[in-house]
Amino acid sequence: MTAIPQGRARRTVVVGAMCALVVTGTGLTGCSEDPDAGTNGVGKLSAAQIQSKTRAAAGSAHALRLSGNVVTSGRTYRLDMRLNSEGGSGSVTAEGTTFQLLRIGEELYLKAGADFWTQADGKGEDSDAAADKLDGKYVKVPSGDPAYKKFSGFTDKDVLLDGLLTLHGGLDTDGHHEQAGTRTIRITGDKGDGGTLDVSLEGQPYPLRLARAGGAGTLTFSAWGKNFPLTEPKKGETVDYGKQLPPS
C-alpha cells in the first residue's frame, strides 16, 4: 500500500481547519470531505455488491498484469504475468528457481536454465545432456503431460481470476484506502481473516490488491485493459521434447 500523497494530506488539513472555524448559533459544527466524491460510486455500495461489480469488471477486461506471491500446497510461487484472452506470458519463481511461461492459444512453452532441467531430470550424464539441450530454450509442453495443466493455469486469465478473487466468510467493507496512487474501497471476508480486496474507486471498479486468506499470498493487479502482443518463439529458440517432459 502507498502513503497518501502530500498534496492530498495538506488539502485535508486545510479543510479540517476551515471546518473548525464554522460557527452556528449553537456553537462549532464539524464537516468532512466526502471520500466518494468524484469516484465511480462503488464505495457507497454493500460489500457483496462491490464484489459482484469488481468480478464483472475483471471478467470483461481484455488484459491485465498480475504480480505477487501465491502459496498453494505448501509451496510459494512468485508470479509476474501478463494475461489476455488469448494466453499469457511472464515468469514464475518457485523454490529459488525461476522459469518463463508462454501460452498462445493451446500451445504452451516453458523456458528455463540448465539448473532447472537438471533438478527436474535428476543426476547423471543423460540428465546433463538433456539440461544442456533445453537450457534457455522454449520447450513445448505436451498437452498430455501433467505439467501442462499445472503450468497453463498460470497463463489463463479466467482461471486465475476465478480462483483468486474469492473472499471467505461474511463480507464487510473496511474503509477507503489507496493502492499505487489510486483511491480504493476495501472489502474483507470474515473481518479480514478470509482475505481482503482493494477495489478501484476511479474508472472501472477493477481489483487492485488482494491479500489471500490464511496468509496464502498477496497479489497486485494492474494494466487493466492494456493489451500486449503474444509472439510465438522462433524455430531456433524452441525444442519439442516429445510426449512428456522430464519428471519434476
Side-chain angles (χ1 to χ4, degrees):
M1 299 297 290
T2 58
I4 295 176
Q6 185 176 1
R8 186 170 295 169
R10 185 181 299 113
R11 183 183 64 189
T12 302
V13 172
V14 172
V15 171
M18 292 175 63
C19 290
L21 296 176
V22 177
V23 180
T24 67
T26 57
L28 295 176
T29 61
C31 64
S32 62
E33 285 188 286
D34 180 0
D36 293 301
T39 72
N40 55 25
V42 298
K44 297 181 179 181
L45 303 178
S46 69
Q49 289 173 317
I50 295 171
Q51 184 184 55
S52 177
K53 284 188 172 294
T54 196
R55 278 183 167 273
S60 64
H62 298 299
L64 75 145
R65 181 179 181 180
L66 179 155
S67 59
N69 297 316
V70 172
V71 181
T72 180
S73 301
R75 292 186 177 183
T76 298
Y77 296 89
R78 172 74 184 176
L79 309 180
D80 189 358
M81 302 295 302
R82 296 292 302 271
L83 308 167
N84 63 25
S85 55
E86 284 77 42
S89 66
S91 65
V92 179
T93 300
E95 298 183 350
T97 300
T98 299
F99 53 92
Q100 307 288 322
L101 290 174
L102 170 65
R103 183 177 64 83
I104 305 174
E106 298 299 319
E107 301 294 332
L108 176 66
Y109 300 90
L110 190 157
K111 180 179 180 181
D115 57 340
F116 173 88
W117 297 110
T118 299
Q119 293 176 23
D121 205 25
K123 298 181 179 181
E125 293 182 1
D126 291 342
S127 172
D128 292 339
D132 290 340
K133 178 182 178 181
L134 304 179
D135 180 26
K137 299 289 187 179
Y138 284 96
V139 180
K140 187 175 181 181
V141 182
S143 58
D145 190 284
Y148 184 92
K149 182 177 181 180
K150 179 177 182 179
F151 290 144
S152 64
F154 288 123
T155 66
D156 192 310
K157 179 176 77 74
D158 294 334
V159 168
L160 273 178
L161 293 180
D162 285 345
L164 292 173
L165 297 181
T166 300
L167 299 176
H168 303 279
L171 297 178
D172 291 292
T173 56
D174 187 28
H176 293 70
H177 301 265
E178 287 200 7
Q179 172 63 31
T182 299
R183 288 179 291 174
T184 66
I185 182 71
R186 180 174 297 170
I187 58 176
T188 67
D190 194 20
K191 304 299 182 182
D193 291 338
T196 68
L197 182 66
D198 281 51
V199 177
S200 177
L201 288 173
E202 303 176 16
Q204 292 294 318
Y206 292 127
L208 298 183
R209 181 180 184 273
L210 170 72
R212 302 181 72 206
T218 300
L219 294 161
T220 59
F221 308 89
S222 60
W224 285 102
K226 297 181 180 180
N227 211 351
F228 59 96
L230 286 169
T231 305
E232 188 171 347
K234 299 177 182 178
K235 287 187 177 180
E237 300 174 335
T238 62
V239 173
D240 191 339
Y241 197 80
K243 293 185 178 180
Q244 189 170 358
L245 294 180
S248 176

